[in-house]
Amino acid sequence: MLLRIYLVIALLFAFAAPAQAKEPMPIGVVGLSHDHVHWLFGSLKRGDVKIVGIVEKDRALAKRYADQYGFSMDLVHDDIGAMLDSAKPQAVAGFGPISDHVKIVRAAAPRGVHVMVEKPLALNAAEGREMAGLAQKHQVQVLTNYETSWYPSVAETKSIVSAGALGPVRKMVIHDGHQGPKAIGVSKEFLSWLTDPVQNGGGAVIDFGCYGANLMTWLNGGLRPVAVTATLRTFQPGNYPKVDDEATIFVDYADAQGIIQASWNWPVSRKDIEIYGTAGQMIADDRDTLRRWGSTPESMKTSELPGRTAPFDDPFAWFSAVVSGEVRPDAFDPGSLENNLIVMEILDAARESARSGKTVTFK
């Protein structure tokens, strides 16, 4: 089931715009255990990137992908340093445990190789800061990919909020979740580390809590919270004995409040945003749908938005454009280091709040 979902996503992004005329960026793939890697393979036909090397120690897993997508096992290496030195990619994309992200940057940045990892940036804020230091020292990009970064509804929400059309924002509520990784049928390799606190840093709080922290930081223009209070629960201990499967995070700002709801327990998958301002409100229901109100219930209007234009419709097209200098990310862009360092602060505070039972105040 999950594989079909990722293939559909990949096809949607792959055919959203014609392939670019420029030469594809040579990219290395570090890890194949994150099921989101299907997104990259599905996007190759666009011509924005080409895979020149893969790092995966699990040969059986690599062979499975090789058979599915038709690449040679000669591309596959056991060691990231060996792959970087022999294949010489311009950039790498990480598709393994979150605990590997800092290791990827440690290997790639000194070689002048740019990095994009799947969300979140790192296991914690300390590793994130190390990654940022390496990126600055070696003048490389270290970016983070979120599925929601490419939603037309999310981009339109940012435009409306930034224009002040809702008045000062007082509350943001962001939902991200599904029935749970086991229920939706993620691969056994993905499930093994996604439910391991050492490799993933937590359960739903990390897997889905990062989306809300990322979007709130973007919508707030990079504002850091005043305080974070969180509750983490495990409602399915038989499936997830080591990590939480339900997270509620209250993010207090100086003049607004954010609520992040992250779950592996919902009956249906959802990724949506609610924004409440003093002069209006809006709900981005899904990838393409936006509902907006003024000051009365009768003012509600629903918009079905067109797809975003390249390269803002696909993470790998965007990655290539940023590396080539064609695109300069906006301040606190969802994929940027500056945004995701704050994300890690929020997630660190959420885990500490849940552990201690106290609100964590930001310095």
Side-chain angles (χ1 to χ4, degrees):
M1 174 183 174
L2 183 69
L3 175 57
R4 290 198 299 271
I5 291 172
Y6 286 131
L7 289 175
V8 168
I9 291 172
L11 288 171
L12 282 171
F13 284 109
F15 290 105
Q20 302 298 305
K22 66 179 183 180
E23 284 294 310
M25 178 178 72
I27 192 171
V29 178
V30 184
L32 294 172
S33 62
H34 195 313
D35 289 351
H36 285 188
V37 75
H38 289 288
W39 194 349
L40 172 57
F41 284 109
S43 294
L44 289 176
K45 59 179 66 70
R46 290 174 56 114
D48 299 295
V49 300
K50 63 177 180 181
I51 296 174
V52 296
I54 296 171
V55 181
E56 179 53 65
K57 292 182 180 180
D58 185 335
R59 302 296 289 186
L61 176 61
K63 184 64 166 57
R64 197 166 79 222
Y65 274 93
D67 291 344
Q68 181 174 353
Y69 291 107
F71 62 81
S72 170
M73 285 292 288
D74 292 341
L75 289 178
V76 182
H77 301 256
D78 292 336
D79 176 73
I80 185 172
M83 185 276 286
L84 292 171
D85 292 337
S86 63
K88 300 192 182 304
Q90 189 175 5
V92 295
F95 289 99
I98 309 306
S99 56
D100 284 353
H101 290 182
V102 68
K103 301 173 187 175
I104 295 171
V105 177
R106 287 170 183 163
R111 292 173 167 87
V113 177
H114 306 278
V115 178
M116 184 166 72
V117 296
E118 289 299 292
K119 55 80 184 171
L121 171 67
L123 274 182
N124 51 54
E127 288 190 359
R129 288 191 291 270
E130 180 185 347
M131 294 160 74
L134 287 166
Q136 182 178 25
K137 178 180 179 180
H138 299 288
Q139 294 297 292
V140 297
Q141 296 284 346
V142 174
L143 307 171
T144 306
N145 178 38
Y146 294 79
E147 179 188 332
T148 47
S149 299
W150 322 108
Y151 283 13
S153 59
V154 169
E156 184 66 11
T157 296
K158 171 63 172 175
S159 295
I160 292 169
V161 170
S162 295
L166 302 181
V169 171
R170 293 292 179 246
K171 186 182 287 289
M172 295 171 283
V173 184
I174 301 181
H175 305 93
D176 291 281
H178 53 40
Q179 301 94 321
K182 193 167 184 179
I184 67 172
V186 305
S187 68
K188 64 180 181 179
E189 295 86 2
F190 191 16
L191 185 67
S192 69
W193 65 257
L194 189 62
T195 57
D196 179 355
V198 175
Q199 296 184 83
N200 196 50
V205 65
I206 298 298
D207 187 33
F208 282 128
C210 63
Y211 281 102
N214 176 252
L215 292 171
M216 284 182 186
T217 301
W218 188 41
L219 294 168
N220 272 328
L223 186 67
R224 292 174 74 247
V226 173
V228 169
T229 309
T231 299
L232 307 183
R233 298 288 302 277
T234 302
F235 294 125
Q236 302 180 60
N239 288 329
Y240 314 114
K242 298 179 181 179
V243 295
D244 63 282
D245 57 30
E246 194 77 24
T248 303
I249 307 170
F250 296 91
V251 186
D252 285 328
Y253 296 94
D255 55 3
Q257 182 187 66
I259 302 173
I260 300 170
Q261 297 193 50
S263 181
W264 286 352
N265 290 290
W266 291 339
V268 295
S269 177
R270 62 186 294 191
K271 285 185 172 72
D272 54 77
I273 308 171
E274 302 174 11
I275 308 290
Y276 301 93
T278 59
Q281 65 188 53
M282 61 193 302
I283 299 177
D285 288 299
D286 52 35
R287 180 179 181 271
D288 304 303
T289 308
L290 195 67
R291 288 182 290 151
R292 181 177 172 185
W293 291 259
S295 57
T296 65
E298 296 76 20
S299 63
M300 194 272 282
K301 295 182 179 179
T302 300
S303 302
E304 293 295 330
L305 301 170
R308 302 188 70 188
T309 58
F312 302 101
D313 59 338
D314 177 89
F316 312 104
W318 180 77
F319 189 20
S320 175
V322 171
V323 168
S324 69
E326 296 173 38
V327 169
R328 183 182 180 88
D330 294 333
F332 296 99
D333 181 276
S336 70
L337 257 177
E338 55 194 352
N339 180 309
N340 286 284
L341 290 172
I342 296 175
V343 170
M344 296 318 305
E345 289 187 86
I346 293 172
L347 295 180
D348 278 3
R351 287 176 288 190
E352 174 58 23
S353 173
R355 185 198 66 78
S356 67
K358 299 178 181 179
T359 294
V360 174
T361 302
F362 277 50
K363 297 180 179 178

